[in-house]
Amino acid sequence: MRAAQTVVDSTKRLGQMGGMVGRAVTRRSPVTLPFTAPRALINGRLTASREAAFTKVDFEDIKTVKTAFDTKVNDVVLAAVTQSLRRYLLARDALPGKPLVASVPINIGAGAVAGTDKISALLVPLPVLTEDPVAQLLEVAEFSRNSKGMADALGTESIGDVAELVPPLLVMGGSKVYDGLGLSRLHPPLQSLVVSNMPGPPIPLYCAGARVDAVYPFGPLLPGSGLNITVLSNMGNLDVGLLGCPDLVPDLWDIADGFPAAIAELLAAAKART
């Protein structure tokens, strides 16, 4: 019954989604499609190696930038990621010819099991070819709005409903075959990287009587993408965790250090504006 309902609901959206896909293919729509990310230094076949890095910024600085330029917190985060990656790629003479594409998970409500959430994702271009940080922020904000239109057309629950119908062993087996044969080399990356923004604890946390000063989250890597950046709000700070495959993303700490530097530039522009 669930499978039948999922098919019916998905069919209803095909017309609207098909029109948006057609316009995107002919470049008459700003919608970003899967597998349109450029081949970049941070993409390729993952190895078993992992490296972690982390940093933090003052959450009030994020809100100051958000208010000054009439954007959202997530837009500011994505803009900081964009500027940091731009500097990282420029330093290695590896800037791609078009924007990177971030997969941005979004919470779409409570899951079927108590204490869980339903998750969907937006594909948001990161304008690494744009030099000015404020221009980057405004472009990211516009890209985010356009990406939400595509998600609404598809239906934020459609992918999750279909995924829940597929047996986990089949998913695991298919993933191993896909990775083992190196099939990711045959097509553009699904996305360049993953950037997640998570709400943190609303109260101070303690461990054996000691105050927890920071919580650095590390999200998983997806096939073909060697970088995950996850941020978490925590008692006045934004804690940033980076997980990378060092064989694709060497010197991960350079990207981590670039995040607060990008926020500092945006904050200076925000103060100058006000």
Side-chain angles (χ1 to χ4, degrees), residues 158-242:
S158 296
I159 297 176
D161 290 342
V162 172
E164 289 180 1
L165 296 174
V166 181
L169 289 178
L170 181 61
V171 174
M172 292 175 60
S175 178
K176 289 182 178 180
V177 171
Y178 174 87
D179 191 56
L181 296 178
L183 298 181
S184 62
R185 296 193 297 265
L186 303 180
H187 59 76
L190 173 62
Q191 70 279 305
S192 304
L193 72 158
V194 177
V195 182
S196 299
N197 187 354
M198 303 170 55
I203 58 174
L205 300 180
Y206 293 85
C207 180
R211 169 74 180 269
V212 177
D213 289 329
V215 180
Y216 298 111
F218 300 105
L221 301 186
L222 300 181
S225 302
L227 178 62
N228 183 302
I229 301 177
T230 302
V231 304
L232 183 144
S233 55
N234 178 40
M235 303 307 297
N237 292 316
L238 195 71
D239 297 339
V240 184
L242 296 84

Coordinates of all heavy atoms in Angstrom, one line a residue, residues 158-242:
S158 N 9.3 12.8 -1.2 CA 9.3 11.7 -2.2 C 10.6 10.8 -2.1 O 10.5 9.6 -2.1 CB 9.2 12.4 -3.6 OG 8.0 13.1 -3.7
I159 N 11.7 11.4 -2.1 CA 13.0 10.7 -2.1 C 13.0 9.8 -0.8 O 13.4 8.6 -0.9 CB 14.2 11.6 -2.2 CG1 14.2 12.4 -3.5 CG2 15.5 10.8 -2.0 CD1 15.3 13.4 -3.6
G160 N 12.7 10.3 0.3 CA 12.7 9.6 1.5 C 11.7 8.4 1.5 O 12.0 7.3 2.0
D161 N 10.5 8.6 0.9 CA 9.5 7.6 0.9 C 10.0 6.4 0.0 O 9.9 5.3 0.3 CB 8.2 8.1 0.3 CG 7.5 9.0 1.3 OD1 7.9 9.0 2.5 OD2 6.7 9.8 0.9
V162 N 10.6 6.8 -1.2 CA 11.2 5.8 -2.1 C 12.3 5.0 -1.4 O 12.4 3.8 -1.5 CB 11.6 6.4 -3.4 CG1 12.3 5.3 -4.3 CG2 10.4 7.0 -4.1
A163 N 13.2 5.8 -0.7 CA 14.4 5.1 -0.1 C 14.0 4.1 1.0 O 14.6 3.1 1.1 CB 15.3 6.2 0.5
E164 N 12.9 4.4 1.7 CA 12.4 3.6 2.8 C 11.9 2.2 2.2 O 11.8 1.3 3.0 CB 11.4 4.2 3.6 CG 12.0 5.4 4.5 CD 10.9 6.0 5.3 OE1 9.7 5.6 5.2 OE2 11.2 7.0 6.1
L165 N 11.5 2.2 1.0 CA 11.0 1.0 0.4 C 12.0 0.1 -0.2 O 11.8 -1.1 -0.4 CB 10.0 1.4 -0.8 CG 8.8 2.1 -0.4 CD1 8.0 2.6 -1.6 CD2 7.9 1.3 0.5
V166 N 13.3 0.6 -0.3 CA 14.4 -0.2 -0.8 C 15.1 -1.0 0.3 O 15.5 -0.4 1.3 CB 15.4 0.7 -1.6 CG1 16.5 -0.2 -2.1 CG2 14.7 1.4 -2.7
P167 N 15.2 -2.3 0.2 CA 15.9 -3.1 1.3 C 17.3 -2.6 1.5 O 18.1 -2.3 0.6 CB 15.9 -4.5 0.7 CG 14.8 -4.5 -0.3 CD 14.8 -3.2 -0.9
P168 N 17.7 -2.4 2.8 CA 19.0 -1.8 3.1 C 20.2 -2.7 2.5 O 21.2 -2.1 2.1 CB 19.0 -1.9 4.7 CG 17.6 -1.8 5.1 CD 16.8 -2.5 4.0
L169 N 20.0 -4.0 2.5 CA 21.1 -4.8 2.0 C 21.3 -4.6 0.5 O 22.4 -4.6 0.0 CB 20.8 -6.3 2.2 CG 20.9 -6.8 3.7 CD1 20.5 -8.3 3.7 CD2 22.3 -6.6 4.2
L170 N 20.2 -4.3 -0.2 CA 20.3 -3.9 -1.6 C 21.1 -2.6 -1.8 O 21.9 -2.5 -2.7 CB 18.9 -3.9 -2.3 CG 18.9 -3.6 -3.8 CD1 19.6 -4.7 -4.6 CD2 17.4 -3.5 -4.3
V171 N 20.8 -1.7 -1.0 CA 21.5 -0.4 -1.0 C 22.9 -0.5 -0.8 O 23.8 0.0 -1.5 CB 20.8 0.6 0.0 CG1 21.6 1.9 0.0 CG2 19.4 0.9 -0.4
M172 N 23.3 -1.3 0.3 CA 24.7 -1.5 0.6 C 25.4 -2.2 -0.5 O 26.5 -1.9 -0.8 CB 24.8 -2.3 1.9 CG 24.3 -1.5 3.2 SD 24.3 -2.6 4.7 CE 26.0 -3.0 4.7
G173 N 24.8 -3.3 -1.0 CA 25.4 -4.0 -2.1 C 25.6 -3.2 -3.3 O 26.7 -3.3 -3.9
G174 N 24.6 -2.4 -3.7 CA 24.8 -1.6 -4.9 C 25.9 -0.5 -4.7 O 26.6 -0.2 -5.6
S175 N 26.0 0.0 -3.5 CA 27.0 1.0 -3.2 C 28.4 0.4 -3.3 O 29.3 1.1 -3.8 CB 26.8 1.6 -1.8 OG 27.8 2.5 -1.5
K176 N 28.6 -0.8 -2.8 CA 29.9 -1.5 -2.9 C 30.3 -1.8 -4.3 O 31.4 -1.6 -4.7 CB 29.9 -2.7 -2.1 CG 29.8 -2.5 -0.6 CD 29.9 -3.8 0.2 CE 29.9 -3.6 1.7 NZ 29.9 -4.8 2.5
V177 N 29.3 -2.2 -5.1 CA 29.6 -2.5 -6.5 C 29.9 -1.2 -7.3 O 30.9 -1.1 -8.0 CB 28.4 -3.1 -7.2 CG1 28.6 -3.2 -8.7 CG2 28.2 -4.5 -6.6
Y178 N 29.2 -0.1 -7.0 CA 29.4 1.2 -7.6 C 30.8 1.7 -7.3 O 31.5 2.1 -8.2 CB 28.3 2.2 -7.1 CG 28.5 3.6 -7.6 CD1 28.0 4.0 -8.8 CD2 29.2 4.5 -6.8 CE1 28.1 5.3 -9.2 CE2 29.3 5.8 -7.2 CZ 28.8 6.2 -8.4 OH 29.0 7.5 -8.8
D179 N 31.2 1.6 -6.0 CA 32.5 2.1 -5.6 C 33.6 1.2 -6.1 O 34.7 1.7 -6.5 CB 32.5 2.3 -4.1 CG 33.7 3.0 -3.6 OD1 33.9 4.2 -4.1 OD2 34.5 2.5 -2.8
G180 N 33.4 -0.1 -6.0 CA 34.4 -1.1 -6.4 C 34.8 -1.0 -7.9 O 35.9 -1.1 -8.3
L181 N 33.8 -0.7 -8.8 CA 34.0 -0.6 -10.2 C 34.5 0.8 -10.6 O 34.8 1.1 -11.8 CB 32.8 -0.9 -11.0 CG 32.3 -2.4 -10.8 CD1 31.0 -2.6 -11.6 CD2 33.4 -3.3 -11.3
G182 N 34.5 1.8 -9.6 CA 34.9 3.1 -9.9 C 34.0 3.8 -10.9 O 34.4 4.6 -11.7
L183 N 32.7 3.6 -10.8 CA 31.8 4.1 -11.7 C 31.6 5.6 -11.6 O 31.1 6.3 -12.5 CB 30.4 3.5 -11.5 CG 30.3 2.0 -11.8 CD1 28.9 1.4 -11.6 CD2 30.8 1.7 -13.2
S184 N 32.1 6.2 -10.5 CA 32.0 7.7 -10.3 C 32.8 8.4 -11.3 O 32.6 9.6 -11.5 CB 32.4 8.0 -8.9 OG 33.7 7.7 -8.6
R185 N 33.8 7.7 -11.9 CA 34.7 8.4 -12.9 C 33.9 8.6 -14.2 O 34.4 9.3 -15.1 CB 35.9 7.6 -13.1 CG 36.8 7.5 -11.9 CD 38.2 6.9 -12.3 NE 38.1 5.6 -12.8 CZ 38.2 4.5 -12.1 NH1 38.5 4.6 -10.8 NH2 38.1 3.3 -12.6
L186 N 32.8 7.9 -14.4 CA 32.1 7.9 -15.7 C 31.1 9.0 -15.8 O 30.5 9.2 -16.9 CB 31.4 6.6 -15.9 CG 32.4 5.3 -15.9 CD1 31.6 4.1 -16.1 CD2 33.5 5.5 -16.9
H187 N 30.9 9.8 -14.8 CA 29.8 10.9 -14.8 C 30.3 12.0 -13.9 O 31.1 11.8 -13.0 CB 28.5 10.3 -14.4 CG 28.5 9.7 -13.0 ND1 28.4 10.5 -11.9 CD2 28.5 8.5 -12.6 CE1 28.4 9.8 -10.8 NE2 28.4 8.5 -11.2
P188 N 29.7 13.2 -14.1 CA 30.0 14.3 -13.2 C 29.6 14.0 -11.8 O 28.7 13.2 -11.6 CB 29.2 15.5 -13.8 CG 28.9 15.1 -15.2 CD 28.8 13.6 -15.2
P189 N 30.2 14.6 -10.8 CA 29.8 14.4 -9.4 C 28.3 14.7 -9.1 O 27.8 15.7 -9.7 CB 30.7 15.3 -8.6 CG 31.9 15.6 -9.5 CD 31.3 15.6 -10.9
L190 N 27.7 14.0 -8.3 CA 26.3 14.3 -7.9 C 26.3 15.6 -7.2 O 25.4 16.5 -7.4 CB 25.8 13.2 -6.9 CG 24.4 13.5 -6.3 CD1 23.3 13.6 -7.3 CD2 24.1 12.4 -5.3
Q191 N 27.3 15.9 -6.4 CA 27.5 17.2 -5.7 C 29.0 17.3 -5.4 O 29.7 16.3 -5.4 CB 26.7 17.3 -4.4 CG 27.2 16.4 -3.3 CD 26.7 15.0 -3.4 OE1 25.5 14.7 -3.5 NE2 27.6 14.0 -3.4
S192 N 29.4 18.5 -5.2 CA 30.8 18.8 -4.9 C 31.2 18.4 -3.4 O 32.2 17.8 -3.1 CB 31.2 20.2 -5.1 OG 30.9 20.6 -6.4
L193 N 30.3 18.7 -2.5 CA 30.5 18.5 -1.1 C 29.1 18.5 -0.4 O 28.1 18.9 -1.0 CB 31.4 19.5 -0.5 CG 30.9 20.9 -0.3 CD1 31.7 21.6 0.8 CD2 31.0 21.7 -1.6
V194 N 29.1 18.2 0.9 CA 27.9 18.3 1.7 C 28.2 19.4 2.8 O 29.2 19.4 3.4 CB 27.6 17.0 2.4 CG1 26.4 17.1 3.4 CG2 27.4 15.9 1.4
V195 N 27.2 20.3 3.0 CA 27.3 21.3 4.0 C 26.0 21.3 4.8 O 24.9 21.5 4.3 CB 27.4 22.7 3.4 CG1 27.5 23.8 4.5 CG2 28.6 22.8 2.4
S196 N 26.1 20.9 6.1 CA 25.0 20.8 7.0 C 25.0 21.8 8.1 O 26.0 22.2 8.6 CB 25.0 19.4 7.6 OG 24.9 18.4 6.7
N197 N 23.8 22.3 8.4 CA 23.6 23.3 9.5 C 22.6 22.7 10.5 O 21.5 22.5 10.2 CB 23.1 24.6 8.9 CG 23.0 25.7 10.0 OD1 23.3 25.5 11.2 ND2 22.7 26.9 9.5
M198 N 23.1 22.4 11.7 CA 22.3 21.7 12.7 C 22.1 22.5 13.9 O 23.0 23.2 14.4 CB 23.0 20.4 13.1 CG 23.3 19.4 12.0 SD 24.4 18.1 12.5 CE 23.4 17.4 13.9
P199 N 20.9 22.5 14.5 CA 20.7 23.2 15.8 C 21.4 22.4 16.9 O 21.4 21.2 17.0 CB 19.1 23.1 16.0 CG 18.7 21.9 15.2 CD 19.7 21.8 14.0
G200 N 22.0 23.2 17.8 CA 22.7 22.5 18.9 C 21.9 22.5 20.2 O 20.7 22.9 20.2
P201 N 22.5 22.2 21.3 CA 21.7 22.1 22.6 C 21.3 23.5 23.1 O 22.1 24.4 23.0 CB 22.8 21.5 23.5 CG 24.1 21.8 22.9 CD 23.9 21.7 21.4
P202 N 20.1 23.7 23.5 CA 19.6 25.0 24.0 C 20.1 25.3 25.4 O 19.8 26.4 25.9 CB 18.1 24.8 23.9 CG 17.9 23.4 24.2 CD 19.0 22.6 23.6
I203 N 20.8 24.4 26.0 CA 21.2 24.6 27.4 C 22.7 24.2 27.5 O 23.2 23.4 26.7 CB 20.4 23.8 28.4 CG1 20.5 22.3 28.1 CG2 19.0 24.2 28.5 CD1 19.8 21.4 29.1
P204 N 23.4 24.7 28.5 CA 24.8 24.3 28.7 C 24.9 22.8 29.0 O 24.1 22.2 29.7 CB 25.3 25.1 29.9 CG 24.4 26.3 30.0 CD 23.0 25.7 29.5
L205 N 25.9 22.2 28.4 CA 26.2 20.7 28.7 C 27.4 20.6 29.6 O 28.3 21.4 29.6 CB 26.4 20.0 27.4 CG 25.3 20.0 26.3 CD1 25.7 19.2 25.1 CD2 24.0 19.5 26.9
Y206 N 27.3 19.5 30.4 CA 28.4 19.2 31.4 C 28.8 17.8 31.3 O 28.0 16.9 31.0 CB 28.0 19.6 32.8 CG 27.8 21.1 33.0 CD1 26.6 21.6 32.7 CD2 28.8 21.9 33.5 CE1 26.4 23.0 32.9 CE2 28.6 23.2 33.7 CZ 27.4 23.8 33.4 OH 27.2 25.1 33.6
C207 N 30.1 17.5 31.5 CA 30.6 16.1 31.6 C 31.4 16.0 32.8 O 32.5 16.6 32.9 CB 31.4 15.8 30.3 SG 32.1 14.1 30.3
A208 N 31.0 15.2 33.8 CA 31.7 15.0 35.0 C 31.9 16.3 35.7 O 33.0 16.5 36.4 CB 33.0 14.2 34.8
G209 N 31.0 17.2 35.6 CA 31.1 18.5 36.3 C 31.8 19.6 35.5 O 31.8 20.7 35.9
A210 N 32.4 19.2 34.4 CA 33.1 20.2 33.5 C 32.2 20.7 32.4 O 31.5 19.9 31.8 CB 34.3 19.5 32.9
R211 N 32.2 22.0 32.2 CA 31.4 22.6 31.1 C 31.9 22.2 29.8 O 33.2 22.2 29.5 CB 31.5 24.1 31.3 CG 30.9 24.9 30.1 CD 29.4 24.8 30.0 NE 28.9 25.6 28.9 CZ 28.6 26.9 28.9 NH1 28.7 27.6 30.0 NH2 28.2 27.5 27.8
V212 N 31.0 21.7 28.9 CA 31.4 21.4 27.5 C 31.4 22.7 26.7 O 30.4 23.4 26.5 CB 30.4 20.4 26.9 CG1 30.7 20.2 25.4 CG2 30.4 19.1 27.7
D213 N 32.6 23.1 26.3 CA 32.8 24.4 25.6 C 32.4 24.3 24.1 O 32.1 25.4 23.5 CB 34.2 24.9 25.7 CG 34.5 25.3 27.2 OD1 33.6 25.8 27.8 OD2 35.7 25.2 27.6
A214 N 32.6 23.2 23.5 CA 32.3 23.1 22.1 C 31.8 21.7 21.7 O 32.2 20.7 22.4 CB 33.6 23.4 21.3
V215 N 31.1 21.6 20.6 CA 30.6 20.3 20.1 C 30.9 20.4 18.6 O 30.2 21.1 17.9 CB 29.1 20.1 20.4 CG1 28.6 18.8 19.8 CG2 28.8 20.2 21.9
Y216 N 31.8 19.6 18.1 CA 32.2 19.7 16.7 C 31.6 18.5 16.0 O 32.0 17.3 16.2 CB 33.7 19.7 16.6 CG 34.4 20.9 17.2 CD1 35.2 20.8 18.3 CD2 34.2 22.1 16.6 CE1 35.8 21.9 18.9 CE2 34.8 23.3 17.2 CZ 35.6 23.2 18.3 OH 36.1 24.3 18.8
P217 N 30.7 18.7 15.1 CA 30.0 17.6 14.4 C 30.8 17.2 13.2 O 31.4 18.0 12.5 CB 28.6 18.2 14.0 CG 28.9 19.6 13.8 CD 30.0 20.0 14.8
F218 N 30.8 15.9 12.9 CA 31.5 15.4 11.7 C 30.5 14.5 10.9 O 30.1 13.4 11.3 CB 32.7 14.6 12.0 CG 33.7 15.4 12.8 CD1 33.9 15.2 14.1 CD2 34.5 16.4 12.1 CE1 34.8 16.0 14.8 CE2 35.4 17.2 12.8 CZ 35.6 17.0 14.2
G219 N 30.0 15.0 9.7 CA 29.1 14.3 8.9 C 29.8 13.3 8.0 O 31.0 13.4 7.7
P220 N 29.1 12.3 7.4 CA 29.7 11.3 6.5 C 30.1 11.8 5.2 O 29.5 12.8 4.7 CB 28.6 10.2 6.5 CG 27.4 11.0 6.6 CD 27.7 12.1 7.6
L221 N 31.0 11.2 4.5 CA 31.3 11.5 3.1 C 30.5 10.6 2.2 O 30.2 9.5 2.4 CB 32.8 11.2 2.8 CG 33.8 11.9 3.7 CD1 35.2 11.6 3.2 CD2 33.6 13.4 3.7
L222 N 30.0 11.2 1.1 CA 29.2 10.6 0.1 C 30.1 10.1 -1.1 O 31.1 10.8 -1.3 CB 28.1 11.4 -0.4 CG 27.1 11.9 0.6 CD1 26.0 12.8 -0.1 CD2 26.5 10.8 1.3
P223 N 29.8 9.1 -1.8 CA 30.6 8.6 -2.9 C 30.9 9.7 -3.9 O 30.0 10.5 -4.3 CB 29.8 7.5 -3.5 CG 29.0 6.9 -2.4 CD 28.7 8.1 -1.6
G224 N 32.2 9.9 -4.2 CA 32.5 11.0 -5.2 C 32.8 12.3 -4.6 O 33.3 13.2 -5.3
S225 N 32.5 12.5 -3.3 CA 32.7 13.8 -2.7 C 33.6 13.6 -1.5 O 33.3 12.9 -0.5 CB 31.3 14.4 -2.2 OG 30.5 14.5 -3.3
G226 N 34.7 14.3 -1.5 CA 35.7 14.1 -0.4 C 35.7 15.0 0.7 O 36.6 15.1 1.5
L227 N 34.5 15.8 0.9 CA 34.5 16.8 1.9 C 33.1 16.9 2.5 O 32.1 17.0 1.7 CB 35.0 18.2 1.4 CG 34.9 19.4 2.4 CD1 35.9 19.1 3.5 CD2 35.3 20.6 1.6
N228 N 33.0 17.0 3.8 CA 31.7 17.3 4.5 C 32.0 18.4 5.5 O 32.9 18.2 6.3 CB 31.2 16.0 5.2 CG 29.8 16.3 5.9 OD1 29.7 17.1 6.7 ND2 28.8 15.5 5.5
I229 N 31.2 19.4 5.5 CA 31.3 20.5 6.5 C 30.0 20.6 7.2 O 29.0 20.9 6.6 CB 31.7 21.9 5.8 CG1 33.0 21.7 5.0 CG2 31.8 23.0 6.8 CD1 33.4 23.0 4.3
T230 N 30.0 20.4 8.5 CA 28.8 20.5 9.3 C 29.0 21.5 10.4 O 30.0 21.6 11.1 CB 28.5 19.1 9.9 OG1 28.4 18.1 8.9 CG2 27.2 19.2 10.7
V231 N 28.0 22.4 10.6 CA 28.1 23.4 11.6 C 26.9 23.2 12.6 O 25.9 22.7 12.3 CB 28.0 24.8 11.0 CG1 29.1 25.1 10.0 CG2 26.6 25.1 10.4
L232 N 27.2 23.6 13.9 CA 26.2 23.3 14.9 C 26.2 24.5 15.9 O 27.3 24.9 16.4 CB 26.6 22.0 15.7 CG 25.6 21.6 16.8 CD1 25.5 20.0 16.8 CD2 26.1 22.1 18.1
S233 N 25.1 25.1 16.1 CA 25.0 26.2 17.0 C 25.0 25.7 18.5 O 24.4 24.7 18.8 CB 23.6 27.0 16.8 OG 22.5 26.1 16.9
N234 N 25.9 26.4 19.3 CA 26.1 25.9 20.6 C 26.4 27.0 21.6 O 27.6 27.5 21.6 CB 27.3 24.9 20.6 CG 27.6 24.3 22.0 OD1 26.7 24.1 22.8 ND2 28.9 24.2 22.3
M235 N 25.4 27.5 22.3 CA 25.6 28.5 23.4 C 26.4 29.7 22.9 O 27.4 30.1 23.5 CB 26.3 27.8 24.6 CG 25.6 26.6 25.1 SD 23.8 26.9 25.5 CE 24.0 28.2 26.8
G236 N 25.9 30.3 21.9 CA 26.5 31.6 21.4 C 27.6 31.4 20.4 O 28.1 32.4 19.9
N237 N 28.0 30.2 20.1 CA 29.0 30.0 19.1 C 28.4 29.1 18.0 O 27.4 28.5 18.1 CB 30.2 29.2 19.7 CG 31.0 30.1 20.6 OD1 31.3 31.2 20.4 ND2 31.4 29.5 21.8
L238 N 29.1 29.1 16.8 CA 28.8 28.2 15.8 C 30.0 27.3 15.7 O 31.1 27.7 15.2 CB 28.6 28.9 14.5 CG 27.9 28.1 13.3 CD1 26.4 27.9 13.7 CD2 28.0 28.8 12.0
D239 N 29.9 26.0 16.1 CA 31.0 25.1 16.0 C 31.0 24.4 14.7 O 30.0 23.9 14.2 CB 30.8 24.0 17.1 CG 30.9 24.6 18.5 OD1 31.4 25.7 18.7 OD2 30.3 24.0 19.5
V240 N 32.2 24.4 14.0 CA 32.3 23.9 12.7 C 33.2 22.6 12.6 O 34.3 22.7 13.1 CB 32.9 25.0 11.8 CG1 32.9 24.5 10.3 CG2 32.1 26.3 11.9
G241 N 32.7 21.5 12.1 CA 33.5 20.3 12.0 C 33.6 20.0 10.5 O 32.7 20.0 9.7
L242 N 34.8 19.6 10.1 CA 35.1 19.2 8.7 C 35.7 17.8 8.7 O 36.6 17.5 9.5 CB 36.2 20.1 8.1 CG 35.8 21.6 7.9 CD1 36.1 22.4 9.2 CD2 36.6 22.2 6.7

